[in-house]
Amino acid sequence: MTPKQLRRRVKLLEEDTPKHKALELALSEGVGFGNAWYSSQKEHCLGWLAQYDSPGAYNRKITSGRDARFFYNHGQCAPMLVWLAEAVCVPSEKLSAGIASVLKAGPRNASQCGAFRKHVTWDDIEERLPEPKSFISRLLS
């Protein structure tokens, strides 16, 4: 799956999920903290994906040809990863274990995200992403 394909699917997800918001508060990170340019983790995710092949807001190294799995496995915002997992309805036991590991991982974003990904993998996310309707389906509905 390409980042562009993932972005189309992320657009279909619910923005307002409770567990990621509780994690933002616990970590003092995300919406309302620091210099966050986004108003939700959904907007954060969509913005990141929209600028995937550019330095974007985080002055990333520009590398083309990377897929959606790379995006998930290299993201550095645990609340965004938790939002994505929560929005695609990853089973609550996996989600809870992942959140607990984030809280035990210490203050480094990379450590938090790595701890979460040990419980909720890209495969857990990808298999639950909604399929965007085709152009024909949208015309007929």
Side-chain angles (χ1 to χ4, degrees):
M1 177 181 309
T2 67
K4 186 176 181 178
Q5 290 168 328
L6 175 58
R7 190 169 192 274
R8 280 196 300 266
R9 292 172 182 217
V10 166
K11 285 180 179 181
L12 302 173
L13 299 174
E14 176 62 40
E15 178 176 279
D16 194 27
T17 60
K19 291 182 181 179
H20 89 273
K21 288 182 179 187
L23 182 63
E24 285 180 326
L25 287 173
L27 298 175
S28 297
E29 180 181 341
V31 177
F33 298 99
N35 295 323
W37 54 267
Y38 45 88
S39 61
S40 70
Q41 290 299 338
K42 180 177 181 176
E43 182 182 14
H44 187 197
C45 188
L46 290 170
W48 209 99
L49 289 165
Q51 300 174 350
Y52 196 76
D53 290 328
S54 74
Y58 303 105
N59 199 28
R60 294 181 298 267
K61 179 180 172 186
I62 301 172
T63 306
S64 62
R66 291 186 171 158
D67 62 6
R69 180 182 300 271
F70 187 90
F71 156 78
Y72 182 78
N73 287 330
H74 291 83
Q76 296 293 307
C77 178
M80 182 175 70
L81 298 181
V82 170
W83 167 77
L84 182 57
E86 191 175 10
V88 299
C89 301
V90 165
S92 60
E93 59 278 355
K94 276 189 168 212
L95 186 60
S96 294
I99 292 169
S101 70
V102 168
L103 295 170
K104 293 176 187 173
R108 291 187 58 239
N109 290 345
S111 298
Q112 293 168 358
C113 293
F116 184 75
R117 287 188 287 258
K118 286 181 181 175
H119 296 277
V120 181
T121 67
W122 168 247
D123 291 338
D124 294 323
I125 301 295
E126 185 177 35
E127 69 188 23
R128 291 173 174 83
L129 285 164
E131 287 285 340
K133 287 184 177 180
S134 70
F135 178 73
I136 302 293
S137 297
R138 286 192 298 264
L139 287 175
L140 297 175
S141 59

